[in-house]
């Protein structure tokens, strides 16, 4: 199976690199340029909307899989239609901002249809406990919408969203392959390849940003993979939460912190931990490298050691999330001490 996964990933990466080049030309022609501002982390006008190449690649390559293997047509159809619908919402928002209520309505509608198409969540194992009931479908729907928006919130510096998604997809593909879930493994490899094909255009220097088209579609795609892996018993939802841990902790704690301070949480800001590090003088590359280090040295080994043992998964998951929360607190203390409000620039800063 390994050779097949590498082939699907390579096709996806090459396709996405080519489509991103077209997206750059389109963005320049249509004037889709993000200009620098006080709530942005870049310092020169940069095209946006490149994430449409990621979603387009995932859908096209997955369609090729479905044409060759009829058994994959059901999951590919659900993944493709859902990703395209939300990418279209994001693409519209990249051109002409949509009210938040319409974006949320679309996310909830697409999420509900996809969960229904997969037959619901079913029973969930959380450590020694087995949870069951229709309420789990509602919980999954809220979690899916949160994941969609989480990637949108965290897509704020060069490379962070695409490389985080690549890490998650790699873990998913590996775990599915080890459990004999070929469909999940191939879909994970396709997502991994698409993300890696986009990275050279967005990191370390950004020639195009992912935009809402990419962040919405990519967040949904990963959520779909998690639901699929859960239904096939090859990827637990606890594992999914921990694999996304860096983003989940930063986005959730930052939102909570803003609510406690009675700040308008829904307005643009640069209060996430990764943004505070940039504001304190770290380069985009250094921050992304730190995130990759946490994933490779903490998250990945923990997931590997706990794989397949529910009680161990829960214990390791809680430990990792607590450590990530402590790291978030340290970043806030460190950046407050160094005075991020000064927007100081150092030799580490990116002119992006």
């Amino acid at each position: 199976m390994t050779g097949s996964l590498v082939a699907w990933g390579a096709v996806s990466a090459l396709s996405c690199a080519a489509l991103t080049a077209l997206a750059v030309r389109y963005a320049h022609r249509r004037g889709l340029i993000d200009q620098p501002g006080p709530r942005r982390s870049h310092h020169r006008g940069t095209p946006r909307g490149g994430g449409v190449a990621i979603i387009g690649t995932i859908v096209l390559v997955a369609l090729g899989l479905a044409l060759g293997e009829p058994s994959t047509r059901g999951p590919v159809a659900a993944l493709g239609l859902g990703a395209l619908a939300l990418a279209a919402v994001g693409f519209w928002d990249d051109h002409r901002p949509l009210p938040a209520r319409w974006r949320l309505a679309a996310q909830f509608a697409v999420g509900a249809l996809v969960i229904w198409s997969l037959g619901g969540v079913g029973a969930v194992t959380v450590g020694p406990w087995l949870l069951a009931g229709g309420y789990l479908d509602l919980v999954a729907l809220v979690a899916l919408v949160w994941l969609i928006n989480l990637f949108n919130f965290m897509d704020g510096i060069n490379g962070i969203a695409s490389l985080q998604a690549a890490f998650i997809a790699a873990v998913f593909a590996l775990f599915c392959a080890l459990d004999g879930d070929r469909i999940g493994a191939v879909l994970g490899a396709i997502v991994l390849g698409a993300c890696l094909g986009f990275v050279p255009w967005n990191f370390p220097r950004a020639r195009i940003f992912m935009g809402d088209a990419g962040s919405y579609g990519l967040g949904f795609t990963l959520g779909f993979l998690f639901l699929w892996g859960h239904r096939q018993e090859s990827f637990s939802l606890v594992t999914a939460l921990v694999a996304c841990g860096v983003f989940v902790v930063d986005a959730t704690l930052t939102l909570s912190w803003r609510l406690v301070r009675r700040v308008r949480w829904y307005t643009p800001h640069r209060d996430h931990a990764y943004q505070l590090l940039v504001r304190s003088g770290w380069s985009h590359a250094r921050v992304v490298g730190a995130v990759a280090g946490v994933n490779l040295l903490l998250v990945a080994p923990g997931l590997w050691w706990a794989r397949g043992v529910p009680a161990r998964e829960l214990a390791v998951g809680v430990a990792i999330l607590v450590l990530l929360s402590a790291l978030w607190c340290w970043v806030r203390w460190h950046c407050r001490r160094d005075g991020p409000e000064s927007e100081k620039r150092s030799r580490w800063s990116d002119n992006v």
Side-chain angles (χ1 to χ4, degrees):
M1 184 187 295
T2 302
S4 174
L5 295 181
V6 171
W8 282 109
V11 169
S12 186
L14 293 173
S15 300
C16 187
L19 288 178
T20 305
L22 297 178
V24 172
R25 294 176 59 184
Y26 174 84
H28 278 294
R29 188 165 61 248
R30 292 297 301 270
L32 300 179
I33 308 296
D34 271 348
Q35 298 297 338
R39 291 189 172 94
R40 299 182 184 274
S41 297
H42 62 285
H43 304 284
R44 64 174 62 173
T46 305
R48 67 177 181 272
V52 70
I54 300 177
I55 305 306
T57 295
I58 292 170
V59 172
L60 290 174
V61 178
L63 180 60
L65 171 67
L67 292 175
E69 300 184 30
S71 62
T72 67
R73 290 176 183 174
V76 165
L79 170 62
L81 292 174
L84 282 177
L86 290 178
V89 171
F91 196 61
W92 182 286
D93 198 42
D94 284 330
H95 286 72
R96 184 178 302 170
L98 283 170
R101 62 180 180 275
W102 294 113
R103 298 197 303 269
L104 283 173
Q107 293 164 11
F108 273 104
V110 172
L113 287 172
V114 168
I115 291 172
W116 172 79
S117 72
L118 291 175
V121 175
V124 176
T125 299
V126 181
W129 301 286
L130 181 67
L131 307 179
Y135 71 93
L136 291 174
D137 292 342
L138 179 59
V139 173
L141 176 58
V142 173
L144 179 57
V145 171
W146 173 235
L147 184 62
I148 292 167
N149 287 281
L150 179 142
F151 262 83
N152 184 250
F153 298 155
M154 297 296 290
D155 179 29
I157 62 173
N158 299 350
I160 193 169
S162 51
L163 285 170
Q164 177 70 12
F167 169 76
I168 296 168
V171 172
F172 181 85
L174 174 62
F175 281 23
C176 287
L178 292 173
D179 283 342
D181 177 10
R182 184 177 182 277
I183 294 176
V186 172
L187 291 177
I190 290 171
V191 176
L192 169 62
C195 292
L196 293 180
F198 179 75
V199 167
W201 292 94
N202 185 244
F203 182 82
R205 177 180 175 273
R207 287 177 281 175
I208 191 167
F209 293 148
M210 185 181 294
D212 291 345
S215 60
Y216 289 168
L218 196 52
F220 166 81
T221 297
L222 293 174
F224 175 88
L225 293 183
F226 296 156
L227 290 168
W228 171 263
H230 166 70
R231 293 292 298 178
Q232 303 303 309
E233 299 183 352
S234 55
F235 201 80
S236 74
L237 295 181
V238 172
T239 299
L241 177 64
V242 178
C244 298
V246 173
F247 273 23
V248 168
V249 168
D250 194 355
T252 303
L253 292 184
T254 299
L255 174 61
S256 301
W257 179 78
R258 288 175 65 82
L259 288 173
V260 168
R261 295 179 65 244
R262 298 183 179 180
V263 178
R264 292 182 179 178
W265 59 270
Y266 51 85
T267 57
H269 62 85
R270 291 200 296 168
D271 288 334
H272 290 288
Y274 75 91
Q275 292 171 319
L276 292 178
L277 288 172
V278 171
R279 291 166 61 187
S280 71
W282 286 39
S283 70
H284 292 206
R286 190 182 181 194
V287 174
V288 172
V291 170
V294 169
N295 282 329
L296 296 176
L297 299 177
L298 175 64
V299 177
L303 290 176
W304 179 261
W305 181 69
R307 189 181 78 87
V309 183
R312 190 184 296 172
E313 283 182 349
L314 179 60
V316 170
V318 170
I320 289 176
L321 293 176
V322 168
L323 287 172
L324 291 176
S325 299
L327 186 59
W328 181 89
C329 293
W330 178 86
V331 169
R332 297 209 67 85
W333 173 83
H334 170 78
C335 293
R336 180 179 180 182
R337 182 194 65 184
D338 287 352
E341 298 298 335
S342 64
E343 301 291 339
K344 61 185 179 182
R345 304 288 300 281
S346 75
R347 63 189 181 92
W348 296 107
S349 298
D350 285 286
N351 185 21
V352 295

